Amino acid sequence: MSKYLFTSESVTEGHPDKMCDQISDAILDAILKKDSQAHVACEVTATTGLIHIMGEITTSCYVDIDKIARNVVNSIGYNNPECGFNGNTCAVISSINSQSPDISRGVNTSYESRDGRNDTFNRIGAGDQGIMFGFACDETPELMPLPISLAHKLAKRLTEVRKTGIIDYLRPDGKTQVTVEYEDGKPVRIDTILISTQHSEKAVLSKIHADLTEHVIAPVIPSELMDEDTKILVNPTGRFVIGGPVADTGLTGRKIIVDTYGGYSRHGGGAFSGKDPTKVDRSAAYAARYAAKNVVAAGIAKKCEIQLSYAIGVARPVSVMVDTFGTGIVSDEEISEAVSQVFDFRPSAIISSLHLELPIYRKLSAYGHMGREDLKVSWERTDKTEELLKLIHQ
């Protein structure tokens, strides 16, 4: 299509699903600080007055799960009854088991190792089967699609003005959405901006609209992308006092499109939060983003999507696919060959090269896992461009 609209959404850290993601990743971080070899698959659900933590964790250390959960909830801002949820008084239930020995067998000793291929990075196998996607494009400086980039920035700013007191009647729960108009595959203007934010009983809609336009939208959205036809929608129901887990049950892993590319790229379906890096749902998605970003940063393509697939217990991916949507300077097959030579997609190699054994995950569990140059995460580096270009024959 020569002209079309594309929309992506984000949510604030006070959204009930994102609150659960943050608890899951805070528990993971606490364990990795003491035991970098732990196997963690931790999920959380939250509803009125209750947090339930469940999953499979195998570790040699002890962490205070109850305390971690309460600290996360309070740090978000759910620390008094006015917000509808209170980390100081809510119930916390824990249902944790150890990892299945059948899964552990394949993770701890890969198919290749059992077959006598004892390379260092053949030591562990993929923690599950599945498909993962990484994507990059040249629409923004961080090489992310523009709609999700702006939606995240709005959500982050919405939290910032709440926590700093710039807008003192805001509450933690909120969502943002940005619709971008494209012509010939390039973003040309913002068609619609939507913000829904929880607020105190005293706030009125006209003031919320004015304050968010001035303090949230204006500092984030480039003025040259807006015009007289750009629509700004703020709390379109007219009222958003009841929010958080009281209004909507939260669950880890329910915002996987928000976590990645806002629907602009395909998604394998696996969630990130609460999973240690032997789970390729997480580590391989980061590795695929790393590879795709380097392809675009090298000027080899304007858009690049990479699919990886794995078999449980097997170290090497079953397949590596590159799609540049017709924007590559050489064939996708040639780019795929170069990517496979430059990047090692075995789980042990990914963990080593991207330093995924470190406790870095809580800070990623809101406002996206991709494009986070603000956090200086390893998969946002563009240090493989020269290696890729040497293998590309123009």
Side-chain angles (χ1 to χ4, degrees), residues 9 11 68 118 133 137 160 186 202 257 287 299 333 353 386:
E9 72 157 351
V11 297
I68 292 167
N118 294 316
F133 289 92
C137 64
E160 182 182 337
K186 296 180 180 180
K202 68 178 182 179
I257 298 301
E333 291 81 5
S353 65
E386 293 301 320

Side-chain angles (χ1 to χ4, degrees), residues 43-120:
E43 298 189 49
V44 176
T45 187
T47 188
T48 305
L50 174 65
I51 296 170
H52 188 183
I53 300 163
M54 63 207 92
E56 298 78 44
I57 299 176
T58 301
T59 180
S60 59
C61 73
Y62 168 79
V63 298
D64 190 335
I65 288 177
D66 183 291
K67 183 178 180 180
I68 292 167
R70 294 184 189 279
N71 286 344
V72 169
V73 174
N74 287 330
S75 70
I76 290 169
Y78 289 117
N79 53 9
N80 68 77
E82 289 183 10
C83 295
F85 196 87
N86 191 337
N88 298 304
T89 59
C90 68
V92 179
I93 299 173
S94 179
S95 305
I96 301 293
N97 299 304
S98 60
Q99 186 181 61
S100 161
D102 293 341
I103 296 175
S104 297
R105 180 175 181 270
V107 175
N108 295 332
T109 307
S110 72
Y111 172 84
E112 288 91 336
S113 291
R114 297 195 303 273
D115 200 37
R117 289 170 280 174
N118 294 316
D119 179 280
T120 300

Side-chain angles (χ1 to χ4, degrees), residues 103-315:
I103 296 175
S104 297
R105 180 175 181 270
V107 175
N108 295 332
T109 307
S110 72
Y111 172 84
E112 288 91 336
S113 291
R114 297 195 303 273
D115 200 37
R117 289 170 280 174
N118 294 316
D119 179 280
T120 300
F121 292 139
N122 279 339
R123 183 178 62 83
I124 67 170
D128 201 353
Q129 71 176 53
I131 56 176
M132 299 85 211
F133 289 92
F135 181 79
C137 64
D138 62 359
E139 293 180 11
T140 63
E142 68 271 25
L143 304 183
M144 286 286 286
L146 183 62
I148 189 65
S149 177
L150 293 178
H152 281 324
K153 289 175 182 176
L154 287 172
K156 197 172 182 181
R157 177 64 179 170
L158 188 60
T159 295
E160 182 182 337
V161 299
R162 170 178 64 87
K163 286 189 166 182
T164 58
I166 294 173
I167 305 179
D168 62 3
Y169 54 79
L170 296 182
R171 297 294 181 257
D173 198 357
K175 303 179 79 171
T176 63
Q177 189 169 283
V178 177
T179 301
V180 176
E181 183 177 315
Y182 286 78
E183 288 186 7
D184 298 322
K186 296 180 180 180
V188 294
R189 59 180 291 274
I190 305 298
D191 182 81
T192 306
I193 297 168
L194 168 61
I195 301 178
S196 295
T197 181
Q198 186 185 10
H199 57 85
S200 69
E201 185 78 42
K202 68 178 182 179
V204 296
L205 183 59
S206 59
K207 182 168 177 57
I208 298 171
H209 193 291
D211 285 347
L212 264 58
T213 300
E214 178 183 357
H215 297 294
V216 177
I217 295 172
V220 168
I221 304 297
S223 58
E224 64 271 18
L225 290 177
M226 298 181 67
D227 56 32
E228 64 275 9
D229 294 323
T230 298
K231 298 177 283 294
I232 296 177
L233 304 174
V234 173
N235 283 15
T237 65
R239 177 182 167 89
F240 188 177
V241 173
I242 302 171
V246 175
D248 184 14
T249 297
L251 179 65
T252 297
R254 203 155 53 184
K255 288 291 176 284
I256 58 177
I257 298 301
V258 172
D259 286 341
T260 51
Y261 307 100
Y264 199 101
S265 170
R266 286 170 282 197
H267 197 293
F272 299 157
S273 291
K275 296 178 180 178
D276 75 81
T278 65
K279 278 72 171 174
V280 285
D281 279 342
R282 172 166 236 157
S283 54
Y286 294 163
R289 162 65 180 173
Y290 181 35
K293 185 172 184 178
N294 274 269
V295 169
V296 175
I300 297 169
K302 293 182 177 298
K303 294 181 181 180
C304 181
E305 183 180 76
I306 295 177
Q307 185 204 54
L308 305 175
S309 69
Y310 290 85
I312 187 169
V314 180

Side-chain angles (χ1 to χ4, degrees), residues 376-393:
K376 302 187 186 304
V377 291
S378 53
W379 52 95
E380 294 299 319
R381 301 188 313 242
T382 54
D383 56 344
K384 300 294 186 181
T385 56
E386 293 301 320
E387 290 181 60
L388 286 168
L389 285 168
K390 287 177 183 177
L391 297 170
I392 297 297
H393 306 291

